[in-house]
Amino acid sequence: QVHLVESGGGLVQAGGSLSLACTASGRTVSNYAMGWFRQAPGHEREFVATINWSGGITTYADSVKGRFTISRDNAKNTVYLQMNSLKPEDTAVYYCNVAVVAGTKVLGGLEVWGQGTLVTVSS
């Protein structure tokens, strides 16, 4: 089965940048749409961004449009999230997963989530 490992989180000041990576092991995820999700303290996990299998189509939550960029390198079985102009409200644990559209929501297709990577943005 696929095992997803997120990395790159840390502490950054508001206005700064951070780059996250999600590497899959077990089998390739090259043929699947992938997404980034985040969960802030006291909040439900929410969709952040998605990217289709080829990397040619991306979608973003309104809250991160113009600031975050999702990309992928299928040869490395890795998905990235470049985060710029970070705000304190971006503070959360960030997860990646197979992206599945369910109604108007984007959900994680794999039942077992990774450990995530913590992003903390100070004001």
Side-chain angles (χ1 to χ4, degrees):
Q1 62 181 30
V2 177
H3 181 213
L4 301 173
V5 178
E6 300 91 345
S7 62
L11 175 64
V12 65
Q13 294 187 68
S17 298
L18 208 58
S19 183
L20 308 182
C22 168
T23 299
S25 62
R27 65 180 178 90
T28 181
V29 294
S30 297
N31 294 324
Y32 298 88
M34 297 294 293
W36 282 97
F37 306 79
R38 67 186 183 185
Q39 186 166 22
H43 295 266
E44 295 183 356
R45 182 160 45 222
E46 64 178 349
F47 147 75
V48 174
T50 65
I51 187 167
N52 77 322
W53 71 270
S54 69
I57 303 174
T58 58
T59 62
Y60 299 90
D62 289 341
S63 59
V64 306
K65 285 181 180 177
R67 300 188 298 118
F68 291 10
T69 302
I70 187 172
S71 61
R72 70 192 300 166
D73 185 341
N74 287 336
K76 297 181 178 179
N77 221 21
T78 299
V79 183
Y80 305 93
L81 185 68
Q82 178 64 46
M83 305 183 294
N84 299 323
S85 302
L86 284 162
K87 304 174 180 180
E89 50 263 46
D90 294 319
T91 295
V93 177
Y94 284 71
Y95 303 88
C96 65
N97 206 330
V98 174
V100 177
V101 177
T104 60
K105 299 180 179 180
V106 179
L107 305 176
L110 299 176
E111 286 191 279
V112 180
W113 294 75
Q115 80 286 356
T117 186
L118 176 62
V119 173
T120 303
V121 184
S122 62
S123 59

